[in-house]
Amino acid sequence: MKHIFFSPALLLILLFVGSATGQQAEFNRASEPVENVWVFFTDKKGVRFDPLDFFHPKAIERRLRHGQDLMDPMDFPVREEYLQGVRQLADSTDVVSRWFNAVSVFAHPAQLERIAALPYVARIQPMTLVALPAGREEEISLTANLSSELQELREAQISHMKGQWFFEHGFDGQGIRIAIFDAGFPGVDEHPVFQHIREGGQIVATRDFVRRRQDVFGKNSHGTSVMSLIGGMDDSLRLGLATGAEYLLARTETWTEYFSEEKYWLEAMEWADRMGADIINSSLGYTYHRYFPEEMDGQHSLVAHAAQKAFQKGILVVNAAGNEGSSKYWGVIGTPADVTEVLSVGALDFPSLIRADYSSKGPTADGRMKPNLAALGTAVVAGKNGLKKSSGTSFASPLLAGFAACLWQKYPEWTNRQVYDAMQHSATLYPYFDYSHGFGIPQANYFFADPGNSFRPTFDFVSTPEGVKVMIHIKSLKGEEDPADRFLFYQVQDEKEKILEYFVVKVHLIEALTLDPADFSPGQKAVVHFEGYTATWNF
Amino acid sequence: MRLRFFFLLIIGLLLTAPLDAQEVVIHEDLKGDTLKPTFGMNRKHYRHSFLGSHFFLGDSEGPSGKLRTGLSWAMEYGIRYKRRFNNVFSGGIEWSVKRLAYIPSDWGMAVLPYEEEIRKERLVLIQTGPGIYQRINFQKRRGDFIGRFLDLGVYGYWNFSSRHVYSYDNARDERVKVKTSRLSYIQPFDYGVLARLGFNNFVIRGSYRFSDHFKENSGMEEFPRFSLGLELGLHPK
C-alpha cells in the first residue's frame, strides 16, 4: 500500500456529509436530462368549438342519452396561443389533453422554470407512470384441438356469468361501442376468432398512440387475447359475449418508452369519448412504479381523474383489479381500478370460482369497496396464432366488458350508472360483499324471467351453548343433498358496518360454522352468505 | 385375510378421524390495515439479499503475472440494508461473503519435485465483511420500487480462508493435486471502494481494491485491483 494514499474514513465522512446535505444538493442543471411533464393551463377563453363537427354521432347520442350539454368546456380545445408559447420554450411537446387543458412537454429544468413563469400556466406535474398489463405469464399455447378440460374452461367463460341467457335471447352487444386500451392487437386482422367482427365491419377505428399511426395489428398480443374475451368466437362457440359489438382499438402501451403510458392512456380516453365509445376496457394497472399502496385512493393519478371524467360523460370504464394480490408489498388494487366510478374486476380461479391468489384485493386506501365484481381469471383466449390458455385479471375484465355490452343492448335507455349498479345487483354474492370477490360474478339470468332467480334461505343461525351455529338447509341445495365443496362466505363487521375480517370456507357438513360470542365485541355482527342467501347475526 | 384387515383398519381410521365442518380457503384480517408500513423498496427501511459475480480487469503488478481473464472471477452473496433519506438519497450497510478465484496463465508459485509441468493452478480466497454505501437515485418521483441508482461506497473484508491449489502429472503419469491452506503470505484484510449502477434488480458493479493481497515481503506480484461485474438484487415480492 505505497502507491496510493487513501483513507476509508475520509471517504465515509465525505459520503455522509453528502447525504446530510442531500436535500439541498444542486446538480449541474445543464447536464440534467430532459423531463417529460404535464403543463396545465389556466383557462380556455376565446376558443371555438363545434360539437357536431368534433364528435362522432355515437358520442353525441350517448351524451344526449345521459342528459349532458354538448357544449361542455371540458371538450373545448386547448388555446393555440398557449400551446405556441410553451412550444417556443420547450424541447418538444406531444400529447394535448382537452379534458385536462394540458400538454405533454419535454424540457430541461431550466426550460421548465421559464414555462412555469408563463402567466397562463397553472401548474406543472411530472409524468412518471408505467402500466402493468394485468396478464400473467402462464400461457400454454394450444396447437391441437382443445382438450376436454379446456373445452370445459371455454364453456365456463360464458356459463359462469350465465351469459348464454344473453345470446339465446338475441343480445350480443350490437349497437354498443367498446374501446379497448392495450399493448397491441396482432392477428386481429386475420385470426379466425375475429372473422365475424371483420366481416361485420365492426372494427370502427384503430389508433396506435405510441407510434402515432392507425395500424394496431402488431406488437404485443395481450390486446388480441383481451379482445377475444369480449367478442371472440371460435368455430361458432363464443369466447366472450359481445360478438356483435363495435370496436375501437387503441394501442396505448409500450415497453420501450419507460414513462409514457399515462399520456397515451389519457389521449386514448379522449379519443374513445370523441368516437362514441360506450364502454372502455382497460386491462392495465398503474402501481408501484409511481405510487405506494396507501395512495390508491382514486385521487392520486391523472388516469384516475381521466376515468372519472369518462364516467361523467356516460362511458362505463371496466378495469382489471391488478395482479398484485400475492405481493407482500403491494397486494391491493392499482389505479385506475381504485376509482369509485370504475368497474374494477378481480380474477377467480377455475373451477373453484374463488379469488385467484394473484388477484389484487381491496379496499382502496380510503376504505372504499373494491373490487366491484369478479370473473374467471383463467380463460381460453386468442393468441397471435390459434388459441391459448392465459390467466390474470386482464382476462376477467374483458369478460365483464362483454357482459356490460349485452346488458346495455337490452336496456339501451340506461345510463352508465344504471348498467354499473345493475351488474352489481345481479352478482352471485349481492348484497354480500368482500374485498376479494366484490359482489361476485354478475349473472345474465337476473335480467330475464328465470325461476332460478328467486333465492330462499339456505341456512339458519341457531343459538346453542357452544355458540351461534350456521346450519345449512339440505332442501335449499337445489336437489343435491351433500353440501361438500360449496363455499360459504362470512365476515365480521363493526357497528359502522366496516369489514374487520372476512373468510371463505369450504363446507363439509350441514353444521357449517360455529361463531363463538367470545370472539365478538358488543355491536359487532357476523354476515354470512351461502348459495345466494345472505343473513346477519348481531352480537 | 390380510387385505380385509387393512381395509377395516382404513375404514376405522376414517370414521374415528376428526371431521372438520369447514376448511378455511380465504381469511383476510383488515384490523391492522391502518398502520402505514415503513418497510419497502422505497420506504424508510429496506433489506434484501443479492447475488453477484465479477471479473478482474488488467494484469498483475509485475513482469510475469497475467491472469486468465474469464476464468479468474469472484462470486458473492450478501445482505443489504437501505435507509431512505429522501427520494433521491439513501444509504446503508451490507454484509457479504465472497469467493475469489485467481487463475494465473503463467504464475509459477507451485513447488514441483521435478520438472513436471503444472496442469492447473489457482489461488482461492474466501472473505467476508461489511460494506457501506451512499445511494443516489435518478428517479425523484417514484413509488415503492428501487428505480435507477448510483451507489458509491467502501468495503472491508476479512480473508478467513485462503488456498493455493495446483495439479501436475508425475513420472508415472498420475495426476497429482496439491492443496495448501492458510497461506502465510496472504494479508488478513482487504479494503477498497465500490460503485454500482442499478436498474431495479439489475446492477453493474465495479470496485477498486486499495489493499494488497500479498504481504510485502512475500515477493508475490499483486493481482489486478479493478473488478467489474453484475449483481442481481433478490427482492421478495
Side-chain angles (χ1 to χ4, degrees):
Chain A
M1 270 313 296
K2 296 169 191 166
H3 51 289
I4 292 178
F5 171 77
F6 169 71
S7 160
L10 180 64
L11 181 66
L12 277 179
I13 291 164
L14 287 172
L15 287 172
F16 280 86
V17 167
S19 137
T21 56
Q23 296 201 24
Q24 290 79 40
E26 277 288 322
F27 291 111
N28 180 351
R29 301 181 68 90
S31 66
E32 277 197 68
V34 168
E35 289 180 42
N36 188 195
V37 298
W38 285 110
V39 173
F40 295 85
F41 298 112
T42 51
D43 63 274
K44 291 184 175 179
K45 280 176 197 161
V47 296
R48 290 184 175 189
F49 178 65
D50 178 1
L52 299 177
D53 182 47
F54 179 71
F55 288 119
H56 188 281
K58 282 277 290 179
I60 294 172
E61 182 195 316
R62 191 191 66 235
R63 278 172 162 71
L64 295 176
R65 192 168 72 239
H66 286 80
Q68 290 172 350
D69 188 352
L70 291 179
M71 291 295 283
D72 182 352
M74 210 164 101
D75 297 318
F76 292 2
V78 177
R79 282 186 70 169
E80 193 54 39
E81 310 91 279
Y82 293 176
L83 291 173
Q84 286 300 332
V86 170
R87 280 175 189 142
Q88 282 169 7
L89 296 175
D91 251 30
S92 61
T93 63
D94 58 356
V95 173
V96 177
S97 169
R98 291 179 178 226
W99 288 4
F100 289 95
N101 196 19
V103 60
S104 160
V105 169
F106 293 88
H108 292 283
Q111 291 171 312
L112 288 175
E113 273 180 20
R114 289 201 291 275
I115 291 168
L118 292 171
Y120 45 82
V121 168
R123 66 191 166 95
I124 292 176
Q125 181 179 314
M127 181 161 4
T128 50
L129 275 182
V130 175
L132 297 179
R136 287 160 61 83
E137 301 296 323
E138 285 182 17
E139 298 176 348
I140 306 161
S141 289
L142 308 171
T143 48
N145 289 333
L146 294 185
S147 66
S148 58
E149 184 205 338
L150 292 170
Q151 281 181 26
E152 201 182 317
L153 174 60
R154 183 175 59 179
E155 284 163 21
Q157 284 168 216
I158 302 299
S159 65
H160 82 298
M161 305 180 285
K162 296 206 167 58
Q164 62 273 19
W165 281 82
F166 279 134
F167 60 76
E168 283 169 4
H169 289 82
F171 298 105
D172 60 1
Q174 199 174 2
I176 304 300
R177 194 164 280 193
I178 304 172
I180 307 173
F181 297 176
D182 223 296
F185 302 87
V188 170
D189 52 344
E190 51 191 26
H191 200 300
V193 158
F194 305 106
Q195 190 180 344
H196 59 290
I197 290 174
R198 291 192 301 272
E199 286 176 357
Q202 292 161 235
I203 299 176
V204 178
T206 60
R207 181 76 186 149
D208 182 340
F209 289 91
V210 181
R211 295 282 166 260
R212 326 303 293 175
R213 62 186 183 190
Q214 283 203 317
D215 180 14
V216 295
F217 303 119
K219 305 293 177 188
N220 192 305
S221 65
H222 189 265
T224 307
S225 303
V226 164
M227 184 176 172
S228 70
L229 290 177
I230 302 179
M233 192 144 53
D234 173 40
D235 210 13
S236 81
L237 291 170
R238 286 169 168 77
L239 298 180
L241 287 170
T243 53
E246 295 173 331
Y247 291 92
L248 302 167
L249 306 182
R251 180 171 176 249
T252 58
E253 311 306 318
T254 172
W255 311 117
T256 51
E257 293 174 37
Y258 201 46
F259 292 128
S260 54
E261 287 92 342
E262 177 187 42
K263 63 187 176 191
Y264 299 140
W265 201 89
L266 193 63
E267 196 180 15
M269 189 69 103
E270 294 187 25
W271 172 77
D273 171 43
R274 182 182 178 184
M275 296 300 292
D278 298 297
I279 297 168
I280 291 173
N281 181 82
S282 167
S283 290
L284 303 152
Y286 300 88
T287 55
Y288 57 86
H289 286 99
R290 168 72 184 272
Y291 298 112
F292 293 90
E294 59 269 25
E295 294 174 331
M296 296 294 99
D297 58 1
Q299 298 298 323
H300 268 76
S301 72
L302 208 59
V303 290
H305 289 288
Q308 283 164 353
K309 288 179 192 294
F311 192 83
Q312 287 165 20
K313 291 178 176 299
I315 299 172
L316 181 70
V317 181
V318 185
N319 207 101
N323 290 337
E324 305 288 337
S326 52
S327 165
K328 189 174 160 189
Y329 297 114
W330 194 271
V332 296
I333 53 170
T335 189
D338 60 340
V339 175
T340 302
E341 293 84 359
V342 169
L343 201 64
S344 311
V345 185
L348 304 175
D349 259 337
F350 176 75
S352 69
L353 298 183
I354 294 299
R355 181 180 75 84
D357 62 345
Y358 57 78
S359 181
S360 295
K361 297 165 281 188
T364 61
D366 52 341
R368 281 173 297 115
M369 291 157 73
K370 287 285 170 182
N372 301 83
L373 293 165
L376 265 180
T378 301
V380 175
V381 303
K384 276 183 188 170
N385 306 297
L387 297 176
K388 61 184 183 178
K389 181 183 169 187
S390 290
S391 62
T393 53
S394 273
F395 306 115
S397 168
L399 286 170
L400 296 201
F403 185 105
C406 297
L407 181 59
W408 220 336
Q409 181 192 3
K410 189 171 190 300
Y411 300 102
E413 71 285 3
W414 276 6
T415 63
N416 56 345
R417 168 63 73 186
Q418 284 171 299
V419 174
Y420 178 103
D421 290 342
M423 283 178 73
Q424 293 192 148
H425 291 166
S426 78
T428 47
L429 300 178
Y430 189 86
Y432 184 92
F433 172 93
D434 74 27
Y435 296 123
S436 287
H437 307 87
F439 288 109
I441 311 160
Q443 301 290 287
N445 66 336
Y446 177 87
F447 303 100
F448 299 88
D450 177 12
N453 286 340
S454 56
F455 287 104
R456 287 168 300 181
T458 55
F459 61 88
D460 280 324
F461 289 110
V462 179
S463 184
T464 70
E466 300 99 73
V468 178
K469 291 186 185 292
V470 175
M471 305 292 288
I472 303 289
H473 292 185
I474 294 182
K475 285 182 184 172
S476 70
L477 297 173
K478 298 171 191 167
E480 296 172 43
E481 299 213 342
D482 184 3
D485 285 359
R486 287 158 184 267
F487 294 98
L488 181 141
F489 297 72
Y490 77 97
Q491 61 188 232
V492 180
Q493 293 183 357
D494 67 11
E495 56 278 11
K496 292 177 183 166
E497 300 190 348
K498 184 185 171 198
I499 301 172
L500 303 174
E501 243 181 314
Y502 64 91
F503 300 78
V504 178
V505 296
K506 196 184 255 189
V507 175
H508 294 305
L509 293 175
I510 301 297
E511 187 183 312
L513 191 66
T514 303
L515 303 166
D516 185 350
D519 295 337
F520 294 81
S521 307
Q524 287 188 347
K525 52 185 124 180
V527 184
V528 180
H529 176 96
F530 184 70
E531 295 287 312
Y533 174 67
T534 302
T536 303
W537 182 272
N538 295 299
F539 286 92
Chain B
M1 188 66 188
R2 182 178 287 178
L3 196 68
R4 196 172 163 188
F5 170 75
F6 278 117
F7 181 72
L8 288 172
L9 182 68
I10 289 165
I11 295 288
L13 284 172
L14 284 174
L15 287 173
T16 53
L19 194 58
D20 288 334
Q22 45 140 305
E23 172 190 340
V24 177
V25 180
I26 289 178
H27 175 211
E28 295 286 342
D29 189 345
L30 301 150
K31 293 194 283 283
D33 275 7
T34 49
L35 297 172
K36 188 184 169 188
T38 56
F39 185 84
M41 291 189 207
N42 189 25
R43 294 189 188 273
K44 190 172 181 181
H45 305 286
Y46 187 55
R47 184 184 63 248
H48 69 97
S49 54
F50 60 92
L51 282 171
S53 176
H54 59 257
F55 296 97
F56 307 104
L57 300 181
D59 294 338
S60 298
E61 295 169 359
S64 64
K66 265 197 174 176
L67 287 181
R68 294 177 66 181
T69 311
L71 293 176
S72 299
W73 65 297
M75 60 183 201
E76 182 177 19
Y77 174 78
I79 292 174
R80 179 171 299 140
Y81 166 76
K82 179 169 77 79
R83 170 69 161 82
R84 179 184 182 276
F85 302 125
N86 56 41
N87 237 7
V88 175
F89 292 101
S90 51
I93 55 170
E94 59 199 32
W95 191 282
S96 62
V97 181
K98 194 187 277 192
R99 179 187 183 276
L100 299 88
Y102 293 100
I103 299 182
S105 57
D106 180 20
W107 191 14
M109 248 179 64
V111 180
L112 301 176
Y114 299 106
E115 294 299 313
E116 286 90 352
E117 191 181 333
I118 294 174
R119 294 289 174 196
K120 284 180 181 171
E121 182 178 17
R122 69 174 183 270
L123 181 80
V124 178
L125 300 177
I126 301 179
Q127 45 186 217
T128 186
I132 185 162
Y133 66 95
Q134 167 76 56
R135 176 165 299 182
I136 301 164
N137 210 296
F138 302 122
Q139 288 161 272
K140 284 180 235 173
R141 291 181 64 91
R142 68 185 192 285
D144 195 15
F145 88 128
I146 297 287
R148 287 168 289 180
F149 61 85
L150 172 70
D151 281 353
L152 298 171
V154 294
Y155 67 85
Y157 295 140
W158 168 48
N159 290 315
F160 69 89
S161 169
S162 58
R163 198 167 45 165
H164 178 227
V165 183
Y166 62 94
S167 61
Y168 63 92
D169 294 335
N170 65 15
R172 294 194 298 275
D173 210 23
E174 295 164 334
R175 180 65 52 93
V176 179
K177 196 169 184 180
V178 181
K179 293 181 185 175
T180 316
S181 299
R182 297 179 190 172
L183 306 173
S184 59
Y185 48 84
I186 294 293
Q187 295 275 17
F189 297 104
D190 266 2
Y191 56 88
V193 289
L194 58 86
R196 289 187 288 255
L197 197 59
F199 307 88
N200 303 322
N201 295 20
F202 301 101
V203 178
I204 299 168
R205 51 90 66 210
S207 64
Y208 184 86
R209 178 170 51 86
F210 287 113
S211 61
D212 293 339
H213 275 329
F214 301 113
K215 288 183 178 167
E216 206 168 344
N217 54 2
S218 69
M220 306 296 295
E221 293 170 359
E222 193 56 44
F223 290 145
R225 295 174 183 279
F226 276 109
S227 71
L228 186 68
L230 297 172
E231 191 183 290
L232 181 69
L234 305 173
H235 303 285
K237 281 292 278 179

